[in-house]
Amino acid sequence: MEKNFQDQVNAMNEMVVKGELINAGEKYFAQNIKTIEFDGTTTIGKQAVMKKLIDFMASIKKVNKLELLLSAADDNASFSEYLLDFDMKDGSNFSLHEIIRSLWENGQVIEERYFKG
């Protein structure tokens, strides 16, 4: 059982590193979540955010790397830094150094903003 905010952040990061991104989203995303991509594209609502995540995960052929470098949490915000490297089903490669800033409320993520590292 998660005891505090840092435990929640750690538990979500652990799920992500294990490749359980969809399960992590189902567990930790609030119904009113908003995500903001690098280019400013915004997605609002758990259903829309989860569809985007499920579609992205379905496009991955092979996970080469999904590594958490650093994580920090304070007040209601957490930051997680990842290295991602995927072979995609279309034959391309998706490689990214990403930082995710999450805002939390009542044990759930209400906003995620993605930054390129």
Side-chain angles (χ1 to χ4, degrees), residues 21-40:
L21 282 79
I22 295 169
N23 291 339
E26 287 292 347
K27 181 173 183 176
Y28 291 105
F29 289 171
Q31 288 300 317
N32 63 335
I33 187 169
K34 174 171 78 169
T35 61
I36 306 155
E37 300 292 335
F38 312 120
D39 65 2

Side-chain angles (χ1 to χ4, degrees), residues 28-71:
Y28 291 105
F29 289 171
Q31 288 300 317
N32 63 335
I33 187 169
K34 174 171 78 169
T35 61
I36 306 155
E37 300 292 335
F38 312 120
D39 65 2
T41 302
T42 300
T43 305
I44 298 173
K46 187 171 183 175
Q47 184 175 1
V49 169
M50 290 303 299
K51 180 180 180 344
K52 200 170 176 180
L53 180 58
I54 290 165
D55 290 349
F56 176 72
M57 294 300 293
S59 70
I60 297 171
K61 179 179 179 181
K62 180 183 174 198
V63 176
N64 299 315
K65 181 181 278 193
L66 182 48
E67 180 181 353
L68 176 67
L69 299 177
L70 294 169
S71 178

Side-chain angles (χ1 to χ4, degrees), residues 8 11 15 17 49 71 87 106 113:
Q8 290 176 320
M15 291 177 81
V17 170
V49 169
S71 178
D87 290 336
N106 300 320
R113 181 179 288 264

Side-chain angles (χ1 to χ4, degrees), residues 4-13 68 70-81 100-104:
N4 60 41
F5 180 49
Q6 184 67 59
D7 289 339
Q8 290 176 320
V9 172
N10 292 345
M12 186 171 79
N13 283 332
L68 176 67
L70 294 169
S71 178
D74 189 36
D75 195 27
N76 73 327
S78 65
F79 294 85
S80 300
E81 179 182 12
I100 303 171
R101 190 269 288 137
S102 302
L103 298 179
W104 295 69

